[in-house]
Amino acid sequence: MVLEGHPRYKSLRLRNKLVDGYEKGITSAHGLIAHGRGEAFDYLLGEQTSKNALDATNVACAYLLTARHPILSVNGNTAALASEEIAEFCAITSIPVEVNLFHRSVKRINRIADYLHAHGVVNVLAGFDFVKLDHISSDRAKVDKHGIFKADVVFAPLEDGDRAQALTRLGKVVLTVDLNPLSRTAVTSTVTIVDEVTRAMKNLISFAKRFEGKDDQDGLDTLKASFDNVQNLKTSYVIIQQRLQSLTL
Ligand code: PTJ
């Protein structure tokens, strides 16, 4: 149990969620290590949503709201950390979810799909009716015919570089959340949200709520056109540099 007054309460709560996910067979052992890398970058970034991360989140949401066939690709880490937020976001936007795993097993796909359903996600594709994409060495190449394969906009938090590259090569818009602004995924994606995934999901929900029931295609298109992913990533590099330079020992 983590007490709310603990100085690292939020970070410890997320760790607990992941360990719980691991014990339930949702998160892989590798996922725990991947989370540690994310935590290290979050520490360097100040453990808060920066303005440039919020800008990227809003642009990502604009892409999702204007897509013909959007899809949210969920892995074992994202499911353990953010199922409640995914359920709320998908209820507002009607975007379907595809369970797509790096360390793929039928057992884990079913467990994650059940876990998402239990948290209120209605439309979950398990990826059993799949097509294998080229140029991807991992099992993430297997994508659902009715999900990622058909999608024009793929939102894949905690994605891997190979697939981000392969999906952009196929002409898809790739949106990701990655605390490491230097990763291949971060530099390859159309929009990279350099933020912690639960914070990013909450901000996506707020943005989607503002546009609920409104038809503002022009406004959303203008927002998309104004965005430069490389410039946005550079702002994250600067934040890390400035934080390191401001350290006085
Ligand atoms: O459930 P599976 O089998 O699909 O596996 C999922 C993992 C995450 C293990 C797999 O996709 C993987 O190995 O990912 P990578 O290549 O380690 O990339 C994960 C990226 O996400 C890293 O750049 C981390 O910095 C980042 N990251 C980790 N935790 C978070 C995060 N970004 C945002 N929020 C987090 N909580």
Side-chain angles (χ1 to χ4, degrees), residues 122-159:
V122 179
N123 195 352
V124 182
L125 296 168
F128 295 138
D129 190 6
F130 64 79
V131 177
K132 210 162 177 280
L133 301 179
D134 290 336
H135 311 296
I136 304 176
S137 50
S138 78
D139 265 345
R140 271 197 158 172
K142 294 176 182 169
V143 297
D144 198 295
K145 271 186 193 165
H146 311 284
I148 292 172
F149 185 67
K150 172 172 118 175
D152 53 340
V153 177
V154 180
F155 176 33
L158 283 64
E159 177 62 299

Coordinates of all heavy atoms in Angstrom, one line a residue, residues 122-159:
V122 N -15.7 -1.1 -24.7 CA -16.7 -2.0 -25.3 C -16.2 -2.7 -26.6 O -16.4 -3.9 -26.8 CB -18.0 -1.1 -25.7 CG1 -19.0 -1.9 -26.4 CG2 -18.5 -0.4 -24.4
N123 N -15.5 -1.9 -27.4 CA -15.1 -2.4 -28.8 C -13.7 -2.8 -28.8 O -12.8 -2.0 -29.0 CB -15.4 -1.4 -29.8 CG -15.4 -1.9 -31.2 OD1 -15.1 -3.1 -31.4 ND2 -15.8 -1.1 -32.2
V124 N -13.4 -4.1 -28.5 CA -12.0 -4.6 -28.4 C -11.7 -5.7 -29.5 O -12.4 -6.7 -29.5 CB -11.7 -5.2 -27.0 CG1 -10.2 -5.6 -26.9 CG2 -12.0 -4.2 -25.9
L125 N -10.8 -5.4 -30.3 CA -10.4 -6.4 -31.3 C -9.2 -7.2 -30.8 O -8.2 -6.6 -30.3 CB -10.0 -5.7 -32.6 CG -11.1 -5.0 -33.4 CD1 -10.5 -4.1 -34.5 CD2 -12.1 -5.9 -34.0
A126 N -9.2 -8.5 -30.9 CA -8.1 -9.3 -30.4 C -7.0 -9.6 -31.3 O -5.9 -10.1 -31.0 CB -8.7 -10.6 -29.8
G127 N -7.2 -9.2 -32.6 CA -6.1 -9.4 -33.6 C -6.0 -10.9 -34.0 O -4.9 -11.2 -34.6
F128 N -7.0 -11.7 -33.8 CA -6.8 -13.1 -34.3 C -7.0 -13.2 -35.8 O -6.5 -14.1 -36.4 CB -7.7 -14.0 -33.5 CG -7.4 -14.1 -32.0 CD1 -8.4 -14.1 -31.1 CD2 -6.1 -14.2 -31.6 CE1 -8.1 -14.1 -29.7 CE2 -5.8 -14.2 -30.3 CZ -6.8 -14.2 -29.3
D129 N -7.8 -12.3 -36.3 CA -8.0 -12.3 -37.8 C -7.0 -11.3 -38.4 O -7.3 -10.2 -38.6 CB -9.5 -11.8 -38.1 CG -9.8 -12.0 -39.5 OD1 -9.0 -12.6 -40.3 OD2 -10.9 -11.5 -39.9
F130 N -5.7 -11.8 -38.5 CA -4.7 -10.8 -38.7 C -4.0 -10.9 -40.1 O -4.1 -11.9 -40.8 CB -3.6 -11.0 -37.6 CG -2.8 -12.3 -37.6 CD1 -1.8 -12.5 -38.5 CD2 -3.1 -13.3 -36.7 CE1 -1.1 -13.7 -38.5 CE2 -2.5 -14.5 -36.7 CZ -1.4 -14.7 -37.6
V131 N -3.3 -9.8 -40.4 CA -2.5 -9.7 -41.6 C -1.1 -9.5 -41.1 O -0.9 -8.8 -40.1 CB -2.9 -8.5 -42.5 CG1 -2.0 -8.3 -43.7 CG2 -4.3 -8.6 -42.9
K132 N 0.0 -10.1 -41.7 CA 1.3 -9.8 -41.2 C 2.0 -8.7 -42.0 O 2.1 -8.9 -43.2 CB 2.1 -11.2 -41.3 CG 3.2 -11.3 -40.3 CD 3.6 -12.8 -40.2 CE 4.7 -12.9 -39.2 NZ 6.0 -12.6 -39.7
L133 N 2.4 -7.6 -41.4 CA 3.0 -6.5 -42.1 C 4.5 -6.9 -42.3 O 5.1 -7.6 -41.6 CB 3.0 -5.3 -41.2 CG 1.6 -4.7 -40.8 CD1 1.7 -3.5 -40.0 CD2 0.7 -4.4 -42.0
D134 N 5.0 -6.3 -43.4 CA 6.4 -6.6 -43.8 C 7.3 -5.7 -42.9 O 6.9 -4.7 -42.3 CB 6.7 -6.2 -45.3 CG 6.0 -7.2 -46.2 OD1 5.8 -8.3 -45.8 OD2 5.7 -6.8 -47.3
H135 N 8.6 -6.1 -42.9 CA 9.7 -5.3 -42.3 C 9.6 -5.1 -40.8 O 10.0 -4.1 -40.2 CB 9.8 -3.9 -42.9 CG 9.9 -3.9 -44.4 ND1 10.9 -4.4 -45.1 CD2 9.0 -3.4 -45.3 CE1 10.6 -4.3 -46.4 NE2 9.5 -3.7 -46.6
I136 N 8.9 -6.0 -40.1 CA 8.8 -6.0 -38.7 C 9.3 -7.3 -38.1 O 8.7 -8.4 -38.5 CB 7.4 -5.7 -38.2 CG1 6.9 -4.4 -38.8 CG2 7.3 -5.6 -36.7 CD1 5.4 -4.1 -38.5
S137 N 10.3 -7.3 -37.3 CA 10.8 -8.6 -36.8 C 10.0 -9.2 -35.7 O 10.0 -10.4 -35.4 CB 12.3 -8.4 -36.4 OG 12.4 -7.3 -35.5
S138 N 9.3 -8.4 -34.9 CA 8.5 -8.9 -33.8 C 7.1 -9.3 -34.2 O 6.6 -9.0 -35.3 CB 8.4 -7.8 -32.7 OG 7.4 -6.9 -33.0
D139 N 6.4 -9.9 -33.2 CA 5.0 -10.3 -33.5 C 4.1 -9.1 -33.6 O 2.9 -9.3 -33.9 CB 4.5 -11.2 -32.3 CG 4.7 -12.7 -32.7 OD1 4.9 -13.0 -33.9 OD2 4.7 -13.5 -31.8
R140 N 4.6 -7.9 -33.3 CA 3.7 -6.8 -33.6 C 3.4 -6.6 -35.0 O 2.5 -5.8 -35.4 CB 4.4 -5.5 -33.0 CG 4.1 -5.3 -31.6 CD 4.5 -3.9 -31.2 NE 3.7 -3.5 -30.0 CZ 3.9 -2.4 -29.4 NH1 4.8 -1.5 -29.8 NH2 3.2 -2.1 -28.3
A141 N 4.0 -7.4 -35.9 CA 3.7 -7.4 -37.3 C 2.3 -7.9 -37.6 O 1.7 -7.5 -38.6 CB 4.7 -8.2 -38.1
K142 N 1.8 -8.7 -36.6 CA 0.4 -9.3 -36.8 C -0.6 -8.3 -36.4 O -0.8 -8.0 -35.2 CB 0.3 -10.6 -36.0 CG 1.2 -11.7 -36.5 CD 1.2 -12.9 -35.6 CE 2.1 -14.0 -36.1 NZ 2.3 -15.0 -35.1
V143 N -1.3 -7.7 -37.4 CA -2.3 -6.7 -37.1 C -3.7 -7.1 -37.5 O -3.8 -7.8 -38.6 CB -1.9 -5.3 -37.7 CG1 -0.6 -4.8 -37.1 CG2 -1.8 -5.4 -39.2
D144 N -4.7 -6.7 -36.8 CA -6.1 -7.1 -37.1 C -6.5 -6.5 -38.5 O -6.4 -5.3 -38.7 CB -7.0 -6.7 -36.0 CG -8.3 -7.4 -36.0 OD1 -9.1 -7.3 -37.0 OD2 -8.6 -8.2 -35.1
K145 N -7.1 -7.4 -39.3 CA -7.6 -6.9 -40.6 C -8.6 -5.8 -40.5 O -8.7 -4.9 -41.3 CB -8.4 -8.1 -41.3 CG -7.5 -9.0 -42.1 CD -8.4 -10.0 -42.8 CE -7.6 -11.1 -43.4 NZ -8.5 -12.2 -43.8
H146 N -9.4 -5.8 -39.4 CA -10.4 -4.8 -39.2 C -10.0 -3.7 -38.3 O -10.8 -2.8 -38.0 CB -11.7 -5.5 -38.6 CG -12.1 -6.7 -39.4 ND1 -12.7 -6.7 -40.6 CD2 -11.9 -8.0 -39.1 CE1 -12.8 -7.9 -41.1 NE2 -12.3 -8.7 -40.2
G147 N -8.8 -3.7 -37.8 CA -8.3 -2.7 -36.9 C -7.1 -1.9 -37.5 O -7.3 -1.1 -38.5
I148 N -5.9 -2.2 -37.1 CA -4.7 -1.5 -37.5 C -4.5 -1.6 -39.0 O -4.2 -0.6 -39.7 CB -3.4 -2.0 -36.8 CG1 -3.5 -1.6 -35.3 CG2 -2.2 -1.4 -37.4 CD1 -2.5 -2.2 -34.4
F149 N -4.8 -2.8 -39.6 CA -4.6 -2.9 -41.0 C -5.4 -2.0 -41.9 O -5.0 -1.3 -42.8 CB -4.8 -4.4 -41.5 CG -4.5 -4.6 -42.9 CD1 -3.2 -4.6 -43.4 CD2 -5.5 -4.9 -43.8 CE1 -2.9 -4.8 -44.7 CE2 -5.2 -5.1 -45.2 CZ -3.9 -5.0 -45.6
K150 N -6.7 -1.8 -41.4 CA -7.6 -1.0 -42.2 C -7.5 0.5 -41.8 O -8.0 1.4 -42.5 CB -9.0 -1.5 -41.8 CG -10.2 -0.7 -42.3 CD -11.5 -1.4 -42.1 CE -12.3 -0.6 -41.2 NZ -13.7 -1.2 -40.9
A151 N -6.9 0.8 -40.7 CA -6.9 2.2 -40.1 C -6.1 3.2 -40.9 O -5.1 2.8 -41.5 CB -6.3 2.1 -38.7
D152 N -6.6 4.4 -41.0 CA -5.8 5.5 -41.5 C -5.0 6.2 -40.4 O -4.0 6.8 -40.7 CB -6.7 6.5 -42.3 CG -7.9 7.1 -41.5 OD1 -8.3 6.4 -40.5 OD2 -8.5 8.1 -41.9
V153 N -5.5 6.2 -39.2 CA -4.8 6.8 -38.1 C -4.7 5.8 -37.0 O -5.7 5.2 -36.5 CB -5.6 8.0 -37.5 CG1 -4.9 8.6 -36.3 CG2 -5.8 9.1 -38.6
V154 N -3.4 5.5 -36.6 CA -3.1 4.5 -35.5 C -2.5 5.2 -34.3 O -1.5 5.8 -34.4 CB -2.1 3.4 -36.0 CG1 -1.8 2.4 -35.0 CG2 -2.6 2.8 -37.3
F155 N -3.2 5.1 -33.2 CA -2.7 5.6 -31.9 C -2.1 4.5 -31.2 O -2.8 3.6 -30.7 CB -3.9 6.3 -31.2 CG -3.5 6.8 -29.8 CD1 -2.3 7.4 -29.6 CD2 -4.4 6.8 -28.8 CE1 -1.9 7.9 -28.3 CE2 -4.1 7.3 -27.5 CZ -2.8 7.8 -27.3
A156 N -0.8 4.5 -31.0 CA -0.1 3.3 -30.4 C 0.9 3.8 -29.3 O 2.0 4.1 -29.6 CB 0.7 2.5 -31.5
P157 N 0.3 4.0 -28.1 CA 1.2 4.4 -27.0 C 2.3 3.3 -26.7 O 2.0 2.1 -26.9 CB 0.3 4.5 -25.8 CG -1.1 4.6 -26.3 CD -1.1 3.8 -27.7
L158 N 3.5 3.7 -26.3 CA 4.6 2.8 -26.0 C 4.8 1.8 -27.2 O 4.9 0.6 -27.0 CB 4.3 2.0 -24.7 CG 4.5 2.7 -23.4 CD1 3.6 3.9 -23.2 CD2 4.3 1.8 -22.2
E159 N 5.0 2.4 -28.3 CA 5.1 1.6 -29.6 C 6.6 1.2 -29.7 O 7.5 1.7 -29.0 CB 4.7 2.5 -30.7 CG 4.8 2.0 -32.1 CD 4.0 0.8 -32.4 OE1 4.2 -0.3 -31.8 OE2 3.1 0.8 -33.3

